[in-house]
Amino acid sequence: MEKKQPVLWIVIPCYNEEAVLPITAPMFLEKIRDLEEQALISDESRVLFVNDGSRDRTWEIIQSLSREDPHFLGIAQSRNRGHQNAVLAGLMEAKEHCDITISIDCDGQDDINAMDEMVRQYLDGCELVYGVRSRRDTDTWFKRVTAESFYKLMNDMGTEVVYNHADYRLVSAKVLRAFDNYREVNLFLRGMFPLVGFKSTSVFYERHERIAGESHYPLSKMLGLALDGITSMSTRPIRLITGFGCLVALISFVGVIWSIAAHFMGVAVTGWSSMVCILCFLGGIQLLGIGVIGEYVGKTYMETKHRPRFIISEKTWQDENDPEMRIG
Ligand code: UDP
Ligand code: MG
C-alpha cells in the first residue's frame, strides 16, 4: 500500500560542533529539499538540531540557522547529558510533529544519500530502517578492530545489536510512541530499538572521515559504552560468573581430595608457591565477580531514581503544546 508523503524530521545531536555545523547544516537542508523534490517526503519536513549543552558557539549557530530557513529548528538541553540522551530528546520532541525521524550525527561521517533508500523502505512498509556501514576503510586499523570486537562481544553477551550500525536510523513515529514506554534511564538506543519489534530492514552506506572538529568518543568512552551496553541490556555476565564459580568449586573439590590424600600418603610438602597462586587466583576472580555484580547494582540504583532522561531548556520556535518554553 502506498503511503502519503510522510513528514520527516532529521534529528541531529550536536556537542561542541561549531567547526562542523556551518558546513554540514546546508548539506542536510539540501537533502531535505532533494527528498521533497523527489516527492518522497512532505514539504512540512524539518531538520531538528539538539544542542547537548555545548560550551562553544553551537547554540548560537543553531539559532541563526533557524532564523535563516524555516526548515531548521533547534532545541537545547539544559546541560550536557551525552549523545544517547541528546538523540532521545530529539526523537521524543520530533514524534509529536512528524511521521518519521532519521537520526544522524552532525559531523558528516554518515552518508546522507542513504536517506533516500531509508525513506523508500519506509514507504514499502518498514517502520525501522538501520543505517549500516558497508566498509570501514576510512577508520584506522585500531578503530576497526576495536569496533568489530565490540559488536561481537555485544552479541555474545546477549545484547541484540545490528552489526556495524551506530545511531543512523529511520524510526517512524509509531515505533517512537511504543518506544516511549521503555522508561529506562540507562540508554543504549541501538540495542533498545530492536526490542521494540516492528518490521525493520537495513540500508548500507559508506562512512566518511569527520569533516572537521574532533571525535568525542576516545577509547575510554568506547569501552564505557560497550560495558553500559552489555550491562543495561543483558544479564548474561552474571550467568557467566555463576558458571565459572561452579567450575572453580569443582576444581577446588578435586584439590581438597588430592591434598587430603597427599597428607595421608606422607608426600605433603610445604607448597608455598601453589598456595600463593591459588590465593591470588581466587582473590582476583572474587573481585571480578563483585565488580560485575556491582555494575548491575549501580544500574538498578540509577533506574530506581527515575530521574528525567533529558531536560529541554530552550527551543527556537513557539511550541503551542509548551507555552512556558523559552524561545532562544
Ligand atoms: N555528541 C553529543 N553529546 C556528547 C558527545 C557527542 O550530542 O556528549 C554528538 C556529536 O556532536 C556528534 C555525535 O554525538 O553529532 C557523535 O559524536 P562523535 O562524532 O564525536 O563520535 P564518533 O563519530 O567519533 O563515534
Ligand atoms: Mg562522528
Side-chain angles (χ1 to χ4, degrees), residues 17-100:
E17 299 285 11
E18 63 180 5
V20 193
L21 260 188
I23 310 170
T24 51
M27 292 161 63
F28 291 119
L29 182 59
E30 206 182 306
K31 187 80 246 168
I32 283 263
R33 292 218 170 106
D34 174 30
L35 291 168
E36 282 174 8
E37 271 162 33
Q38 294 183 58
L40 285 172
I41 58 170
S42 141
D43 55 10
E44 300 276 284
S45 299
R46 297 286 178 264
V47 178
L48 175 68
F49 295 105
V50 184
N51 176 37
D52 187 21
S54 301
R55 276 188 288 270
D56 63 2
R57 293 191 54 258
T58 302
W59 182 237
E60 282 79 27
I61 297 173
I62 294 172
Q63 286 173 313
S64 77
L65 284 168
S66 74
R67 282 192 290 268
E68 278 162 28
D69 194 296
H71 281 96
F72 288 128
L73 296 173
I75 55 176
Q77 291 228 78
S78 58
R79 54 159 294 168
N80 178 251
R81 298 291 297 271
H83 177 207
Q84 299 288 297
N85 300 67
V87 174
L88 182 73
L91 292 177
M92 289 301 134
E93 176 66 43
K95 82 173 194 314
E96 306 299 327
H97 313 273
C98 69
D99 302 309
I100 49 174

Coordinates of all heavy atoms in Angstrom, one line a residue, residues 17-100:
E17 N 30.2 21.6 18.3 CA 30.3 21.3 16.9 C 30.4 22.6 16.0 O 30.0 22.6 14.9 CB 29.2 20.4 16.3 CG 29.1 19.0 17.0 CD 30.2 18.1 16.5 OE1 31.2 18.5 15.9 OE2 30.1 16.9 16.9
E18 N 30.9 23.7 16.6 CA 30.9 24.9 15.8 C 31.7 24.8 14.6 O 31.5 25.6 13.6 CB 31.4 26.1 16.7 CG 32.8 25.9 17.2 CD 33.3 27.1 18.1 OE1 32.5 28.0 18.4 OE2 34.5 27.1 18.4
A19 N 32.7 23.9 14.6 CA 33.6 23.8 13.4 C 32.8 23.1 12.2 O 33.1 23.3 11.1 CB 34.8 23.1 13.7
V20 N 31.9 22.2 12.6 CA 31.3 21.3 11.6 C 29.9 21.9 11.1 O 29.6 21.8 9.9 CB 31.0 19.9 12.2 CG1 30.6 19.0 11.1 CG2 32.2 19.4 12.9
L21 N 29.1 22.4 12.1 CA 27.8 22.8 11.7 C 27.6 23.7 10.5 O 26.8 23.4 9.6 CB 27.1 23.5 12.9 CG 26.2 22.6 13.8 CD1 25.5 23.4 14.8 CD2 25.2 21.9 12.9
P22 N 28.4 24.8 10.4 CA 28.2 25.6 9.2 C 28.5 24.9 7.9 O 27.9 25.3 6.9 CB 29.3 26.7 9.4 CG 29.6 26.7 10.9 CD 29.4 25.3 11.3
I23 N 29.2 23.8 7.9 CA 29.5 23.0 6.7 C 28.4 22.0 6.5 O 27.9 21.9 5.3 CB 30.8 22.3 6.8 CG1 31.9 23.2 7.3 CG2 31.2 21.6 5.5 CD1 33.2 22.5 7.6
T24 N 27.9 21.3 7.5 CA 27.0 20.2 7.3 C 25.5 20.6 7.3 O 24.7 20.0 6.6 CB 27.2 19.1 8.4 OG1 27.1 19.6 9.7 CG2 28.5 18.3 8.2
A25 N 25.2 21.7 8.0 CA 23.8 22.1 8.0 C 23.3 22.4 6.6 O 22.2 21.9 6.3 CB 23.6 23.4 8.9
P26 N 24.0 23.1 5.7 CA 23.4 23.3 4.3 C 23.3 21.9 3.6 O 22.4 21.8 2.8 CB 24.5 24.1 3.7 CG 25.3 24.8 4.8 CD 25.2 23.9 5.9
M27 N 24.2 21.0 4.0 CA 24.0 19.7 3.3 C 22.7 19.0 3.7 O 22.1 18.4 2.9 CB 25.2 18.8 3.7 CG 26.6 19.3 3.1 SD 28.0 18.6 3.9 CE 27.9 16.9 3.6
F28 N 22.4 19.1 5.0 CA 21.1 18.5 5.4 C 19.9 19.2 4.8 O 19.0 18.5 4.4 CB 21.0 18.6 7.0 CG 22.0 17.7 7.7 CD1 22.9 18.2 8.6 CD2 21.9 16.3 7.5 CE1 23.8 17.4 9.2 CE2 22.8 15.5 8.2 CZ 23.8 16.0 9.0
L29 N 20.0 20.5 4.7 CA 18.9 21.3 4.1 C 18.7 20.8 2.6 O 17.6 20.6 2.1 CB 19.2 22.8 4.2 CG 18.2 23.7 3.6 CD1 16.9 23.5 4.3 CD2 18.6 25.1 3.7
E30 N 19.9 20.7 1.9 CA 19.8 20.3 0.5 C 19.2 18.9 0.4 O 18.4 18.7 -0.5 CB 21.2 20.3 0.0 CG 21.3 20.5 -1.5 CD 22.8 20.4 -2.0 OE1 23.6 21.1 -1.4 OE2 23.0 19.6 -2.8
K31 N 19.5 18.1 1.3 CA 19.0 16.7 1.3 C 17.4 16.7 1.5 O 16.7 16.1 0.8 CB 19.6 15.9 2.4 CG 19.2 14.4 2.4 CD 20.0 13.6 1.4 CE 19.2 13.1 0.2 NZ 20.0 12.6 -0.9
I32 N 17.0 17.5 2.4 CA 15.5 17.7 2.7 C 14.8 18.2 1.4 O 13.8 17.6 1.0 CB 15.3 18.7 3.8 CG1 15.5 18.0 5.2 CG2 13.9 19.2 3.8 CD1 14.3 17.4 5.9
R33 N 15.4 19.2 0.8 CA 14.8 19.7 -0.5 C 14.8 18.7 -1.6 O 13.8 18.6 -2.3 CB 15.7 20.9 -0.9 CG 15.6 22.1 0.0 CD 15.5 23.4 -0.7 NE 15.2 24.5 0.1 CZ 16.1 25.4 0.6 NH1 17.3 25.4 0.2 NH2 15.7 26.4 1.4
D34 N 15.9 18.0 -1.7 CA 16.0 16.9 -2.7 C 14.9 15.8 -2.5 O 14.3 15.4 -3.4 CB 17.5 16.3 -2.5 CG 17.7 15.1 -3.4 OD1 17.1 15.0 -4.5 OD2 18.5 14.2 -3.0
L35 N 14.7 15.4 -1.2 CA 13.7 14.4 -0.9 C 12.3 15.0 -1.2 O 11.4 14.2 -1.7 CB 13.8 14.0 0.5 CG 15.1 13.1 0.9 CD1 15.2 13.0 2.4 CD2 15.0 11.7 0.3
E36 N 12.1 16.3 -0.9 CA 10.8 16.9 -1.2 C 10.6 16.9 -2.7 O 9.5 16.6 -3.2 CB 10.8 18.3 -0.7 CG 10.6 18.4 0.8 CD 10.7 19.9 1.3 OE1 10.8 20.8 0.5 OE2 10.8 20.0 2.5
E37 N 11.7 17.3 -3.5 CA 11.5 17.3 -4.9 C 11.2 15.9 -5.5 O 10.4 15.8 -6.5 CB 12.8 17.9 -5.6 CG 12.7 19.4 -5.7 CD 14.1 20.0 -5.9 OE1 14.9 19.3 -6.6 OE2 14.3 21.1 -5.5
Q38 N 11.8 14.9 -4.9 CA 11.5 13.6 -5.4 C 10.1 13.1 -5.0 O 9.8 11.9 -5.2 CB 12.5 12.6 -4.9 CG 13.9 12.8 -5.4 CD 14.8 11.7 -4.8 OE1 14.6 10.5 -5.0 NE2 15.8 12.1 -4.0
A39 N 9.4 13.9 -4.2 CA 8.1 13.6 -3.7 C 8.1 12.4 -2.8 O 7.1 11.7 -2.7 CB 7.1 13.4 -4.8
L40 N 9.3 12.2 -2.1 CA 9.3 11.1 -1.1 C 8.8 11.6 0.2 O 8.3 10.8 1.0 CB 10.8 10.6 -1.0 CG 11.4 9.8 -2.1 CD1 12.9 9.6 -1.9 CD2 10.7 8.5 -2.2
I41 N 9.0 12.9 0.5 CA 8.6 13.4 1.8 C 7.7 14.6 1.6 O 7.8 15.3 0.6 CB 9.8 13.7 2.8 CG1 10.7 14.7 2.1 CG2 10.5 12.4 3.2 CD1 11.8 15.2 3.1
S42 N 7.0 15.0 2.7 CA 6.2 16.2 2.7 C 7.0 17.4 2.8 O 8.1 17.4 3.3 CB 5.2 16.1 3.8 OG 5.0 17.3 4.4
D43 N 6.5 18.6 2.3 CA 7.3 19.8 2.4 C 7.2 20.4 3.8 O 7.6 21.5 4.1 CB 6.9 20.8 1.3 CG 5.4 21.1 1.3 OD1 4.7 20.7 2.3 OD2 5.0 21.8 0.4
E44 N 6.5 19.7 4.7 CA 6.5 20.1 6.1 C 7.7 19.6 6.9 O 7.8 19.7 8.1 CB 5.2 19.5 6.8 CG 3.9 20.0 6.2 CD 3.5 21.3 6.8 OE1 3.0 21.3 7.9 OE2 3.7 22.3 6.1
S45 N 8.6 18.9 6.2 CA 9.7 18.2 6.9 C 10.7 19.2 7.4 O 10.8 20.4 7.0 CB 10.4 17.3 5.9 OG 9.5 16.3 5.4
R46 N 11.4 18.8 8.5 CA 12.3 19.7 9.2 C 13.7 19.0 9.6 O 13.8 17.8 9.6 CB 11.7 20.1 10.5 CG 10.4 20.9 10.4 CD 10.7 22.4 9.9 NE 9.5 23.1 9.7 CZ 8.8 23.3 8.6 NH1 9.3 22.7 7.5 NH2 7.7 24.0 8.5
V47 N 14.6 19.9 9.9 CA 15.9 19.4 10.4 C 16.0 19.9 11.9 O 15.9 21.1 12.1 CB 17.1 20.0 9.6 CG1 18.4 19.6 10.3 CG2 17.1 19.6 8.2
L48 N 16.0 19.0 12.8 CA 16.0 19.4 14.2 C 17.4 19.2 14.9 O 17.8 18.0 15.0 CB 15.0 18.6 15.0 CG 14.9 18.8 16.5 CD1 14.4 20.2 16.9 CD2 14.0 17.7 17.2
F49 N 18.0 20.3 15.3 CA 19.3 20.1 16.0 C 19.1 20.1 17.5 O 18.2 20.8 18.0 CB 20.2 21.3 15.7 CG 20.6 21.5 14.2 CD1 20.0 22.4 13.4 CD2 21.6 20.6 13.7 CE1 20.4 22.5 12.1 CE2 21.9 20.7 12.4 CZ 21.3 21.7 11.5
V50 N 19.8 19.2 18.1 CA 19.7 19.1 19.6 C 21.0 19.6 20.2 O 22.0 18.9 20.0 CB 19.4 17.7 20.1 CG1 19.2 17.7 21.6 CG2 18.2 17.1 19.4
N51 N 21.0 20.7 20.8 CA 22.3 21.2 21.4 C 22.4 20.5 22.7 O 21.6 20.7 23.6 CB 22.2 22.7 21.5 CG 23.4 23.2 22.3 OD1 24.5 22.7 22.1 ND2 23.3 24.2 23.1
D52 N 23.5 19.7 22.9 CA 23.7 18.9 24.1 C 24.6 19.7 25.1 O 25.7 19.2 25.4 CB 24.3 17.6 23.7 CG 24.4 16.6 24.9 OD1 23.6 16.9 25.8 OD2 25.1 15.7 24.8
G53 N 24.2 20.9 25.5 CA 24.9 21.7 26.4 C 26.3 22.0 26.0 O 27.3 22.0 26.7
S54 N 26.4 22.4 24.7 CA 27.8 22.8 24.2 C 28.4 24.0 24.9 O 27.6 24.9 25.3 CB 27.6 23.1 22.7 OG 27.1 22.1 22.0
R55 N 29.7 24.0 25.0 CA 30.4 25.1 25.6 C 30.9 26.1 24.6 O 31.4 27.1 25.0 CB 31.5 24.6 26.5 CG 31.1 24.1 27.8 CD 32.2 23.8 28.7 NE 32.9 22.6 28.3 CZ 32.5 21.4 28.7 NH1 31.6 21.3 29.6 NH2 33.1 20.3 28.3
D56 N 30.7 25.8 23.3 CA 31.2 26.7 22.3 C 30.0 27.4 21.7 O 28.9 27.5 22.3 CB 32.1 26.0 21.2 CG 31.3 25.0 20.5 OD1 30.0 24.8 20.8 OD2 31.8 24.3 19.6
R57 N 30.1 27.9 20.4 CA 29.0 28.7 19.8 C 28.0 27.9 19.1 O 27.2 28.4 18.4 CB 29.7 29.7 18.8 CG 30.5 30.8 19.5 CD 30.9 31.9 18.6 NE 29.8 32.5 17.9 CZ 29.4 32.3 16.7 NH1 30.0 31.4 16.0 NH2 28.3 32.9 16.2
T58 N 27.9 26.6 19.4 CA 27.0 25.7 18.6 C 25.6 26.2 18.7 O 24.9 26.3 17.7 CB 27.1 24.3 19.2 OG1 28.4 23.8 19.1 CG2 26.2 23.3 18.5
W59 N 25.1 26.6 19.9 CA 23.7 27.0 20.0 C 23.4 28.3 19.3 O 22.4 28.4 18.6 CB 23.3 27.1 21.5 CG 21.9 27.5 21.8 CD1 21.4 28.6 22.5 CD2 20.7 26.8 21.3 NE1 20.0 28.6 22.5 CE2 19.6 27.5 21.8 CE3 20.5 25.7 20.5 CZ2 18.2 27.1 21.5 CZ3 19.1 25.3 20.2 CH2 18.1 26.0 20.7
E60 N 24.4 29.2 19.3 CA 24.2 30.5 18.5 C 24.1 30.2 17.1 O 23.2 30.7 16.4 CB 25.4 31.4 18.8 CG 25.3 32.2 20.1 CD 25.8 31.3 21.2 OE1 26.6 30.4 21.0 OE2 25.4 31.6 22.4
I61 N 24.9 29.2 16.6 CA 24.8 28.8 15.2 C 23.4 28.2 14.9 O 22.8 28.6 13.9 CB 26.0 27.9 14.8 CG1 27.3 28.5 15.0 CG2 25.8 27.3 13.4 CD1 28.5 27.6 14.9
I62 N 23.0 27.4 15.7 CA 21.7 26.7 15.5 C 20.6 27.8 15.5 O 19.7 27.8 14.6 CB 21.3 25.7 16.6 CG1 22.3 24.5 16.5 CG2 19.9 25.2 16.5 CD1 22.3 23.5 17.6
Q63 N 20.7 28.8 16.4 CA 19.7 29.8 16.4 C 19.7 30.6 15.1 O 18.6 30.9 14.6 CB 19.9 30.8 17.6 CG 19.5 30.2 18.9 CD 20.0 31.0 20.1 OE1 21.1 31.5 20.2 NE2 19.1 31.2 21.0
S64 N 20.9 31.0 14.7 CA 20.9 31.8 13.4 C 20.5 31.0 12.2 O 19.8 31.5 11.3 CB 22.3 32.5 13.2 OG 23.2 31.5 12.8
L65 N 20.8 29.7 12.2 CA 20.3 28.8 11.1 C 18.7 28.8 11.1 O 18.1 28.9 10.0 CB 20.7 27.4 11.3 CG 22.2 27.1 11.0 CD1 22.6 25.7 11.5 CD2 22.5 27.1 9.5
S66 N 18.1 28.7 12.3 CA 16.7 28.7 12.3 C 16.0 30.0 11.9 O 14.9 30.0 11.5 CB 16.2 28.3 13.7 OG 16.4 29.3 14.6
R67 N 16.8 31.1 12.0 CA 16.2 32.3 11.6 C 16.3 32.4 10.0 O 15.5 33.1 9.4 CB 17.0 33.5 12.2 CG 16.5 33.8 13.6 CD 17.0 35.1 14.2 NE 18.4 35.0 14.4 CZ 19.0 34.7 15.6 NH1 18.2 34.4 16.6 NH2 20.3 34.7 15.8
E68 N 17.4 31.8 9.5 CA 17.6 31.9 8.1 C 16.7 31.0 7.2 O 16.3 31.4 6.1 CB 19.1 31.4 7.7 CG 20.1 32.5 8.0 CD 21.5 31.8 8.1 OE1 21.7 30.7 7.4 OE2 22.4 32.4 8.7
D69 N 16.3 29.9 7.8 CA 15.5 29.0 7.0 C 14.5 28.2 7.9 O 14.9 27.7 8.9 CB 16.4 28.0 6.2 CG 15.6 27.2 5.1 OD1 14.6 26.5 5.5 OD2 16.0 27.4 4.0
P70 N 13.2 28.3 7.5 CA 12.2 27.6 8.3 C 12.3 26.1 8.5 O 11.7 25.5 9.3 CB 10.9 28.0 7.7 CG 11.2 28.4 6.3 CD 12.6 28.9 6.3
H71 N 13.2 25.5 7.6 CA 13.4 24.1 7.7 C 14.2 23.7 9.0 O 14.1 22.6 9.5 CB 14.2 23.5 6.5 CG 13.3 23.3 5.3 ND1 13.2 24.3 4.3 CD2 12.5 22.3 4.9 CE1 12.4 23.8 3.4 NE2 12.0 22.6 3.7
F72 N 15.0 24.7 9.4 CA 15.9 24.4 10.6 C 15.2 24.7 11.9 O 14.6 25.8 12.1 CB 17.1 25.3 10.5 CG 18.1 24.9 9.4 CD1 18.6 25.8 8.5 CD2 18.6 23.6 9.4 CE1 19.5 25.4 7.5 CE2 19.5 23.2 8.4 CZ 19.9 24.1 7.5
L73 N 15.3 23.8 12.8 CA 14.7 24.0 14.2 C 15.8 23.6 15.2 O 16.6 22.7 14.8 CB 13.5 23.2 14.4 CG 12.2 23.5 13.5 CD1 11.2 22.4 13.8 CD2 11.7 24.9 13.8
G74 N 15.7 24.1 16.4 CA 16.6 23.6 17.4 C 16.0 23.5 18.8 O 15.1 24.3 19.1
I75 N 16.5 22.6 19.5 CA 16.1 22.5 21.0 C 17.5 22.4 21.7 O 18.4 21.9 21.2 CB 15.2 21.3 21.3 CG1 15.8 20.0 20.9 CG2 13.8 21.5 20.8 CD1 15.0 18.8 21.4
A76 N 17.4 23.0 22.9 CA 18.7 22.9 23.7 C 18.4 22.1 25.0 O 17.4 22.3 25.7 CB 19.1 24.3 24.1
Q77 N 19.3 21.2 25.3 CA 19.3 20.5 26.6 C 19.8 21.5 27.7 O 20.7 22.3 27.4 CB 20.1 19.3 26.6 CG 19.6 18.2 25.7 CD 19.7 16.9 26.4 OE1 18.8 16.6 27.2 NE2 20.6 16.0 26.1
S78 N 19.3 21.3 28.9 CA 19.7 22.3 29.9 C 21.2 22.1 30.3 O 21.8 23.0 30.9 CB 18.9 22.0 31.2 OG 19.0 20.7 31.6
R79 N 21.8 21.0 30.0 CA 23.2 20.8 30.2 C 23.7 19.6 29.3 O 22.9 18.9 28.7 CB 23.5 20.5 31.7 CG 22.8 19.4 32.3 CD 23.4 18.8 33.5 NE 24.7 18.2 33.1 CZ 25.6 17.8 34.0 NH1 25.5 18.0 35.2 NH2 26.7 17.2 33.5
N80 N 25.0 19.3 29.3 CA 25.5 18.2 28.6 C 25.0 16.9 29.2 O 25.3 16.6 30.4 CB 27.0 18.2 28.4 CG 27.6 17.1 27.7 OD1 28.2 16.2 28.3 ND2 27.3 17.0 26.4
R81 N 24.3 16.0 28.5 CA 23.9 14.8 29.0 C 24.4 13.6 28.3 O 24.1 12.4 28.6 CB 22.3 14.7 29.0 CG 21.6 15.8 29.8 CD 21.8 15.5 31.3 NE 21.2 14.3 31.7 CZ 19.9 14.1 32.1 NH1 19.1 15.2 32.1 NH2 19.5 13.0 32.5
G82 N 25.1 13.8 27.2 CA 25.7 12.7 26.4 C 24.9 12.4 25.2 O 23.7 12.8 25.1
H83 N 25.5 11.8 24.2 CA 25.0 11.6 22.9 C 23.6 10.9 22.9 O 22.7 11.3 22.3 CB 26.0 10.7 22.1 CG 25.6 10.3 20.8 ND1 26.1 9.2 20.2 CD2 24.8 10.8 19.9 CE1 25.6 9.0 19.0 NE2 24.8 10.0 18.8
Q84 N 23.5 9.7 23.6 CA 22.3 8.9 23.6 C 21.1 9.7 24.1 O 20.0 9.7 23.6 CB 22.5 7.7 24.5 CG 23.6 6.8 24.0 CD 23.2 6.0 22.7 OE1 22.3 5.3 22.7 NE2 23.9 6.3 21.7
N85 N 21.3 10.5 25.2 CA 20.2 11.3 25.8 C 19.8 12.4 24.8 O 18.7 12.8 24.7 CB 20.6 11.9 27.1 CG 20.9 10.8 28.1 OD1 21.9 10.1 27.9 ND2 20.1 10.6 29.1
A86 N 20.8 13.0 24.1 CA 20.5 14.1 23.2 C 19.7 13.5 22.0 O 18.7 14.1 21.6 CB 21.8 14.7 22.6
V87 N 20.0 12.3 21.5 CA 19.3 11.7 20.4 C 17.8 11.5 20.9 O 16.8 11.8 20.3 CB 19.9 10.4 19.9 CG1 19.0 9.7 18.9 CG2 21.3 10.7 19.3
L88 N 17.7 10.9 22.1 CA 16.4 10.6 22.7 C 15.5 11.9 22.8 O 14.4 11.9 22.4 CB 16.5 9.9 24.0 CG 15.2 9.5 24.6 CD1 14.6 8.3 23.9 CD2 15.3 9.2 26.1
A89 N 16.2 13.0 23.3 CA 15.4 14.2 23.5 C 14.9 14.7 22.1 O 13.7 15.1 22.0 CB 16.4 15.3 24.1
G90 N 15.7 14.6 21.1 CA 15.3 15.0 19.8 C 14.2 14.1 19.2 O 13.2 14.6 18.7
L91 N 14.3 12.8 19.4 CA 13.3 11.9 18.9 C 12.0 12.1 19.6 O 10.9 12.1 18.9 CB 13.8 10.4 19.1 CG 15.0 10.0 18.2 CD1 15.4 8.6 18.6 CD2 14.7 10.1 16.8
M92 N 12.0 12.3 20.9 CA 10.8 12.5 21.6 C 10.1 13.8 21.3 O 8.9 13.9 21.2 CB 11.0 12.4 23.2 CG 11.4 11.0 23.6 SD 10.1 9.8 23.2 CE 10.9 8.5 22.5
E93 N 10.9 14.8 21.0 CA 10.3 16.1 20.5 C 9.7 15.8 19.1 O 8.5 16.2 18.9 CB 11.4 17.1 20.5 CG 10.9 18.5 19.9 CD 9.9 19.1 20.8 OE1 10.1 19.1 22.0 OE2 8.9 19.7 20.3
A94 N 10.5 15.2 18.3 CA 10.1 15.1 16.9 C 8.8 14.2 16.7 O 7.9 14.6 15.9 CB 11.2 14.4 16.1
K95 N 8.6 13.2 17.6 CA 7.5 12.3 17.4 C 6.1 13.0 17.5 O 5.1 12.5 17.0 CB 7.6 11.1 18.3 CG 7.1 11.4 19.7 CD 7.1 10.0 20.5 CE 6.3 10.1 21.8 NZ 6.6 11.3 22.7
E96 N 6.1 14.2 18.1 CA 4.9 14.9 18.3 C 4.5 15.7 17.0 O 3.4 16.1 16.8 CB 5.0 16.0 19.4 CG 5.5 15.5 20.7 CD 4.5 14.5 21.3 OE1 3.3 14.6 21.1 OE2 5.0 13.5 22.0
H97 N 5.5 15.8 16.1 CA 5.2 16.6 14.9 C 5.3 15.9 13.6 O 5.1 16.5 12.5 CB 6.2 17.8 14.9 CG 6.4 18.5 16.2 ND1 5.6 19.6 16.6 CD2 7.2 18.3 17.2 CE1 5.9 20.0 17.8 NE2 6.9 19.2 18.2
C98 N 5.9 14.7 13.6 CA 6.2 14.1 12.3 C 5.7 12.7 12.1 O 5.2 12.1 13.1 CB 7.7 14.2 12.1 SG 8.6 13.0 13.2
D99 N 5.9 12.1 10.9 CA 5.6 10.7 10.7 C 6.8 9.8 10.8 O 6.7 8.7 11.3 CB 5.0 10.5 9.3 CG 3.8 11.4 9.1 OD1 2.9 11.3 9.9 OD2 3.7 12.1 8.1
I100 N 7.9 10.4 10.4 CA 9.2 9.6 10.5 C 10.3 10.5 10.9 O 10.3 11.7 10.7 CB 9.6 8.9 9.2 CG1 9.5 9.9 8.0 CG2 8.7 7.7 8.9 CD1 10.1 9.3 6.7

